[in-house]
Amino acid sequence: MNKSIIAIFIVALSLIHSMIFSETKLDYKGEASFENWIFPNDAASTNQTNTNNTVQLKAEATLTSDFFSMRLEPRIKEDFSERSRGRLLLDEGWMGLTFSDFEFRVGFQQFTWGMVESQKLVDILNQKDYEGDFFDPDKLATLSARIIISPIEKLDIELYYLAHFIKAKLPTTKGRYSLTNGLSNIQDKAIFGNKAEEWYPNVAARIFTTISTFDIALSFFHGYNSFPTTDASFSKPYYYIMNQAGLEVTWVPGKPIFKLEAVYRNMRNSNNSSIPSILIPDPYLAYVAGVE
Amino acid sequence: MYKKIVFSLILTFLMALSGLSYGDSRAQAIYKRILKSGVKKGKAIAKTADEMDIGFKDQQSIMRMVLIDASGGKTTRIMATKRLEQKSDGDKSVFIFKKPNDIKGIGLLTFEHKRKSDEQWLYLPASGRLKKISSDNKSGSFQGSEFSYEDLGTTEIEKYRYKYQEDGKFDGQDCFILIRYPTERSSGYSKQVSWVRKDNFQPLKVEYYDRKNEHLKTLLFKRYKKLKGKYWRAYYMDMENVQTGKRTTLTMINLRIGTGLSKDRFTTRALKRS
């Protein structure tokens, strides 16, 4: 215990020292927005609203010095059609250390993987908020630690530890994107592939490099599938554990830009004993490719 | 004693005055050496200007870009720029938008290459996406301004053919009138005509001609300053599109060179972080 306190004290002192004796910069901005959705046609259920009004306030503050950085990005959202869609959360809230070939961050973070614009197969580290917009959901920050090591130029090795899994925010009764004539919030009944439930640590790694006219990334993820599976009665969401290997390629030979994303997902070798096997998909390969 | 003090003051004043002069004996020496080596006059002028800039190591500045439409309406953008000199290849550069808020944080990283296409990445903070983009589209407008990506990159000697036209004058200054023809097919120009000051080999005006060989744009360089006793930098640039009447001005604020920037500031990882 004493050693831990001494270690924390040394780290804190280093951070304060770096802030005092280096140039510290504070950047901030804020944003207020109002959204009004109008659906001209009635929904299948009378519970589902035809209009929706939302007010959102966002703030963003970033503190940076030579080696230390910190970011806070709180957001408040008020939905006048359905109060449960209101949000008070941190889109980002982390601290980090940066050196020439090493970077470390810990806190509530959002990550972005992937190179293709239309389908985001590889980008699965963050849970999504499907309540507001099912087809273009917001990402939810996850409590995590990330290390990036750059041993040589044009090579980044990223390691992720995602400490806490957030259940998907699914459309609820009044939501326009509700499934089957309005779907009650069933997240309290979620079943997880591991008995640690939300605290089962998800881990990931990604290698990104540039070779000539190619940008290439290889990734691996072990953890919960972010969008749950469910049975025919939609009574419970099941979060199974999966392994995912991913490939991302961008090729720029001249004016056109060619892109490819591919994932291989295997759920069978993970310990998903608490989930009916019939609900766990077979291993599959998915890919998307295109040209800009 | 009094005479010594006065003499020292006069000498100091004269030395300071000579520093303010826009003439550059170093430029003349470089030019003569290059001409003696057998290089044709047009290329010798371009090589002199290029060689004068060798050794600046790195540069950073805040840049204010004002977009002026044909009716006089103005839009202002503020960018932070960094540039790193590379010994054996083109420079590396980073542009990060600071204002207005809707484009704040958008970054562009460029690796210029002498003998192959440049590499470029665009970072979009709203989506957290890093995108490799095609540098062959360099004729496209940079963020809606009258400057294209091609205009804002460094002019690698190897990417042009040069022809000395004649001597001339611009803004009361004796100039070489130099024509350069891009050799890259991706260039948006058929030629560029430059008025280059004879005394310090810095451009005062450049006329850009489109692929139809029609006069498209005129760029004026103003408020030159000599940094670190060697390196000329224009603190104000004015690009006018003569076909549409639109203009874009660039003003350098707090321009510094040789600040000790390291190459890890010019990586995709650093672009996302900034």
Side-chain angles (χ1 to χ4, degrees), chain A residues 37 54 56 75-77 79 84-91 110 126-141 166-172 177 185 187 226-227 239:
Chain A
W37 293 46
T54 306
Q56 184 165 267
R75 176 159 61 101
I76 300 172
K77 182 175 165 182
D79 189 309
S84 68
R85 287 211 285 247
R87 297 278 181 265
L88 172 61
L89 40 67
L90 272 179
D91 279 339
Q110 290 190 21
N126 288 103
Q127 184 55 275
K128 306 229 179 31
D129 187 349
Y130 297 95
E131 259 190 310
D133 188 338
F134 190 83
F135 296 105
D136 188 21
D138 291 332
K139 280 185 184 172
L140 297 169
I166 303 171
K167 290 177 281 193
K169 303 264 184 226
L170 297 172
T172 53
Y177 299 115
N185 193 335
Q187 294 290 22
S226 57
F227 196 85
Y239 292 97

Side-chain angles (χ1 to χ4, degrees), chain B residues 171-217:
Chain B
D171 205 20
Q173 305 291 335
D174 291 327
C175 295
F176 299 114
I177 299 177
L178 178 71
I179 306 176
R180 63 180 190 187
Y181 302 90
T183 55
E184 283 188 310
R185 270 191 250 169
S186 58
S187 172
Y189 308 118
S190 59
K191 69 179 181 187
Q192 297 166 22
V193 183
S194 303
W195 278 254
V196 179
R197 278 183 67 140
K198 281 189 173 182
D199 53 357
N200 66 8
F201 289 79
Q202 299 303 308
L204 292 178
K205 180 170 96 163
V206 180
E207 286 180 352
Y208 297 85
Y209 289 78
D210 61 21
R211 301 302 275 180
K212 295 179 204 167
N213 213 25
E214 288 173 11
H215 184 197
L216 175 63
K217 302 189 291 193

Side-chain angles (χ1 to χ4, degrees), chain B residues 100-262:
Chain B
N101 274 343
D102 58 333
I103 58 171
K104 184 175 180 175
I106 291 178
L108 178 69
L109 171 67
T110 304
F111 290 178
E112 293 169 14
H113 296 297
K114 288 184 189 290
R115 301 189 195 287
K116 59 179 182 176
S117 291
D118 299 343
E119 295 172 87
Q120 284 188 309
W121 293 266
L122 189 68
Y123 176 65
L124 304 170
S127 59
R129 287 238 153 185
L130 177 75
K131 299 178 58 162
K132 193 178 183 93
I133 60 176
S134 173
S135 62
D136 277 6
N137 288 325
K138 56 179 65 182
S139 59
S141 160
F142 179 73
Q143 292 299 312
S145 73
E146 295 310 310
F147 286 88
S148 65
Y149 288 90
E150 184 177 355
D151 300 334
L152 292 173
T154 48
T155 50
E156 301 298 334
I157 299 277
E158 293 79 0
K159 292 184 176 175
Y160 296 89
R161 284 185 299 109
Y162 298 88
K163 178 185 167 191
Y164 164 74
Q165 176 90 335
E166 60 185 344
D167 285 355
K169 246 181 162 49
F170 180 76
D171 205 20
Q173 305 291 335
D174 291 327
C175 295
F176 299 114
I177 299 177
L178 178 71
I179 306 176
R180 63 180 190 187
Y181 302 90
T183 55
E184 283 188 310
R185 270 191 250 169
S186 58
S187 172
Y189 308 118
S190 59
K191 69 179 181 187
Q192 297 166 22
V193 183
S194 303
W195 278 254
V196 179
R197 278 183 67 140
K198 281 189 173 182
D199 53 357
N200 66 8
F201 289 79
Q202 299 303 308
L204 292 178
K205 180 170 96 163
V206 180
E207 286 180 352
Y208 297 85
Y209 289 78
D210 61 21
R211 301 302 275 180
K212 295 179 204 167
N213 213 25
E214 288 173 11
H215 184 197
L216 175 63
K217 302 189 291 193
T218 301
L219 174 60
L220 301 178
F221 296 84
K222 295 179 182 176
R223 298 184 210 159
Y224 271 103
K225 288 183 190 175
K226 202 173 181 181
L227 302 180
K228 303 258 181 189
K230 282 165 78 171
Y231 305 108
W232 291 99
R233 292 293 182 268
Y235 275 61
Y236 184 81
M237 287 181 269
D238 188 331
M239 177 77 91
E240 183 188 4
N241 187 316
V242 300
Q243 294 180 4
T244 63
K246 293 181 183 176
R247 277 172 61 216
T248 300
T249 64
L250 280 180
T251 307
M252 301 293 180
I253 303 162
N254 194 22
L255 194 158
R256 296 166 288 154
I257 60 174
T259 63
L261 289 176
S262 57

Side-chain angles (χ1 to χ4, degrees), chain A residues 100 103 116 150 153 215 254, chain B residues 92 121 127 129 134 269 273:
Chain A
S100 58
E103 191 177 311
V116 172
S150 304
E153 198 182 13
D215 272 2
Chain B
K92 294 183 179 180
W121 293 266
S127 59
R129 287 238 153 185
S134 173
R269 179 167 66 89
R273 200 171 61 239

